[in-house]
Amino acid sequence: MCILFFIANANPVPDGYKLILASNRDEFYGRPASQASAWNDSYPHVFGGRDMEPGREGGTWLALGSKNGVTKIGALLNITGEKRNPNALGRGPIVTNYVSGDLTNRQYAEELLENHLTYNSFNMVSIELENSRASILHTSNAPPGTMEFPEKEVHGFGNSPYTIPLQKVVKGKEKFRNIVKMSGSGNLVHDLMEFLKDDEKHWPDDELSRRAPKWAEKLSSVYVKMPIEGYGSRTRTVILIDSNDRMDFFEETMAGTDPDGEWKKAHIHKQL
């Protein structure tokens, strides 16, 4: 399970933001991943964390790439409860290939859908900022298709088809919208990180119950914490891009396998 909220605006007011994004990555606590950083070894224009599980190295759930005046943000969310193909390829390269490559998000979505049976079910959200243009696309293989979303509006995605959002996505959008609205009167990064720690259960949820009947109630909050099962929100991320194309990428991620233990913090500041 993962969750994503953002608003993109290619033409913000002075000192405003082109992008405000908050996301939790839910995963098994023991799955190894690298802390967010520049991918200097292969793609120095890309920033984010990377999967380190043997056989899945190099994939990512959320990353940003900026090159030749174009900034791309890619996020991957699995769709829970769909039939799985044990021979499917890992989904991590879906975002990696997008943010590191030269295709537009529209071109990449078309190519991805041509091979949609290669992967188990996914939601991919791609945001592209170029000059005075913001392009927001949602691409999925369950069912296969692409949907364009407008800028200047708050959007939220979780682990169900976007047409049937989970209740924590619906309620989370409201909270995220209020934080963004009040951003001038407080510490935006702090408020968004606290929002990503929100363990209020949005329950009952018929769609979540149908998709994950065993763990549904435990998965019904923005911040998931399941220490007995060894699963939960192990990485939280806030990305800001201001009106002058200055990026601040903040990440807090578990240092070990105890959600009550140490969390490592990273902050990447970059002029895009």
Side-chain angles (χ1 to χ4, degrees):
M1 304 291 284
C2 295
I3 201 163
L4 171 73
F5 303 96
F6 66 89
I7 182 170
N9 180 1
N11 297 284
V13 298
D15 299 323
Y17 292 98
K18 292 186 175 182
L19 179 72
I20 302 174
L21 180 151
S23 177
N24 271 343
R25 182 200 186 198
D26 299 347
E27 186 52 88
F28 286 101
Y29 295 146
R31 184 167 178 168
S34 66
Q35 196 169 11
S37 65
W39 295 5
N40 290 321
D41 57 337
S42 49
Y43 304 107
H45 65 288
V46 177
F47 306 87
R50 283 190 282 187
D51 200 347
M52 296 174 60
E53 184 179 33
R56 308 283 185 175
E57 299 94 340
T60 188
W61 56 97
L62 174 65
L64 179 150
S66 185
K67 186 173 67 172
N68 300 327
V70 180
T71 296
K72 300 177 176 181
I73 301 93
L76 184 72
L77 305 97
N78 299 342
I79 301 181
T80 302
E82 298 290 322
K83 185 177 180 180
R84 294 180 59 83
N85 174 6
N87 298 315
L89 296 179
R91 289 164 286 199
I94 290 176
V95 169
T96 297
N97 293 340
Y98 167 62
V99 296
S100 64
D102 296 324
L103 296 181
T104 68
N105 58 355
R106 176 66 66 180
Q107 291 168 334
Y108 188 78
E110 292 173 356
E111 184 177 276
L112 190 58
L113 288 175
E114 289 178 0
N115 302 287
H116 69 273
L117 295 177
T118 303
Y119 306 99
N120 281 315
S121 56
F122 64 84
N123 287 321
M124 181 196 173
V125 179
S126 56
I127 308 167
E128 208 155 272
L129 300 170
E130 180 180 11
N131 298 324
S132 298
R133 179 187 69 90
S135 174
I136 302 166
L137 290 182
H138 167 269
T139 307
S140 180
N141 62 350
T146 295
M147 179 71 179
E148 188 167 1
F149 286 79
E151 60 177 309
K152 302 181 183 179
E153 293 183 14
V154 168
H155 301 294
F157 297 89
N159 299 103
S160 65
Y162 78 89
T163 53
I164 318 174
L166 302 181
Q167 286 302 302
K168 66 179 183 178
V169 174
V170 174
K171 302 299 183 182
K173 281 176 62 177
E174 296 177 10
K175 294 183 179 183
F176 180 87
R177 185 181 291 109
N178 288 334
I179 293 171
V180 170
K181 189 181 299 182
M182 300 298 291
S183 62
S185 60
N187 186 326
L188 179 58
V189 175
H190 173 270
D191 293 345
L192 289 174
M193 283 295 185
E194 289 301 306
F195 163 65
L196 293 174
K197 300 175 189 177
D198 188 354
D199 60 1
E200 177 186 359
K201 288 183 169 55
H202 301 288
W203 189 253
D205 184 331
D206 292 342
E207 180 67 9
L208 185 54
S209 295
R210 187 178 72 81
R211 291 187 170 276
K214 184 178 179 180
W215 291 355
E217 186 172 357
K218 294 181 179 181
L219 295 169
S220 65
S221 51
V222 169
Y223 174 68
V224 175
K225 182 179 177 182
M226 300 167 57
I228 295 176
E229 294 83 357
Y231 182 90
S233 302
R234 55 165 293 168
T235 302
R236 43 186 174 257
T237 304
V238 171
I239 302 175
L240 305 177
I241 300 176
D242 70 13
S243 57
N244 297 307
D245 292 313
R246 291 182 296 239
M247 177 198 73
D248 285 286
F249 192 125
F250 298 90
E251 181 189 89
E252 296 181 357
T253 192
M254 288 172 53
T257 58
D258 180 4
D260 294 320
E262 179 189 358
W263 285 68
K264 298 182 293 183
K265 296 183 179 181
H267 175 202
I268 306 166
H269 178 75
K270 177 74 174 179
Q271 178 67 55
L272 301 176

